[in-house]
């Protein structure tokens, strides 16, 4: 699996940019870019999700309107937590949303296990750690994302 590599350009606003090396697009033969896209692309809110600030936009990636495989969607509902006060419930919900967004890794047999950790790291910072175990053996990779988008 090879992707165009992304790097987090602005953690506060969750902005990513294409990574370059020597004037060329850098590639990522691991899972970092796929995980970043899964976590930080806005999934459509469920019908019973409370929308931030009383909005009406349920968001979602436009390509999910007609997915190639029924029910196969991209993104996470982490965006729903953006204006939430950092509580144990919000941290648990972030972990659940992240696990939901990464479930495709085991469904598509890219990983044999996916473990998600979430932790409050100041009043306004959330850290998510993702540990992937590949099906070919004991290779484990850890990916860490910290941002201060929750305030």
């Amino acid at each position: 699996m090879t992707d165009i590599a992304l790097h987090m350009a602005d953690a506060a606003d969750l902005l990513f940019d294409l990574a370059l090396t020597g004037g060329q697009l850098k590639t990522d033969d691991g899972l970092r870019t796929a995980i970043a896209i899964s976590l930080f692309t806005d999934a459509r809110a469920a019908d019973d999700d409370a929308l931030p600030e009383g909005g009406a936009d349920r968001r979602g990636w436009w390509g999910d309107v007609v997915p190639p495989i029924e029910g196969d969607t991209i993104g996470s509902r982490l965006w729903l937590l953006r204006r939430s006060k950092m509580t144990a419930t919000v941290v648990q919900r972030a972990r659940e949303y992240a696990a939901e967004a990464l479930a495709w890794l085991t469904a598509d047999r890219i990983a044999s296990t996916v473990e998600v950790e979430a932790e409050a790291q100041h009043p306004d910072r959330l850290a998510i750690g993702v540990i992937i175990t590949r099906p070919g053996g004991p290779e484990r990779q850890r990916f860490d994302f910290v941002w201060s988008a929750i305030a």
Side-chain angles (χ1 to χ4, degrees), residues 99-148:
E100 174 185 89
L102 298 171
W104 69 271
L105 291 164
T106 53
D108 290 358
R109 299 180 186 192
I110 292 169
S112 54
T113 63
V114 175
E115 300 170 48
V116 177
E117 303 163 344
E119 174 184 289
Q121 286 192 333
H122 292 293
D124 63 346
R125 289 173 53 117
L126 179 68
I128 290 184
V130 180
I131 302 170
I132 305 291
T133 304
R134 300 296 291 256
E139 175 192 356
R140 289 169 60 93
Q141 294 176 289
R142 182 177 176 91
F143 304 90
D144 292 301
F145 301 94
V146 179
W147 69 97
S148 40

Side-chain angles (χ1 to χ4, degrees), residues 7-21:
H7 75 276
M8 189 176 278
D10 182 344
D13 289 325
L14 296 176
L15 297 176
F16 288 81
D17 201 353
L18 299 174
L20 299 174
T21 183

Side-chain angles (χ1 to χ4, degrees), residues 37-44 61 64 73-78 97 100-102:
I37 290 170
S38 295
L39 292 177
F40 302 117
T41 297
D42 296 347
R44 184 160 181 82
W61 184 59
D64 288 342
T73 60
I74 291 176
S76 77
R77 296 184 293 157
L78 287 169
Y97 289 167
E100 174 185 89
L102 298 171

Side-chain angles (χ1 to χ4, degrees), residues 45 49-59 79-80 83:
D49 282 333
L51 300 177
E53 300 171 353
D57 185 2
R58 303 200 85 69
R59 297 192 187 181
W79 67 272
L80 293 168
R83 305 290 269 157

Side-chain angles (χ1 to χ4, degrees), residues 81 86-96 118-120 126-127:
L81 305 176
M86 189 68 71
T87 64
T89 301
V90 167
V91 172
Q92 177 61 27
R93 192 168 298 142
R95 192 199 68 70
E96 291 168 3
E119 174 184 289
L126 179 68

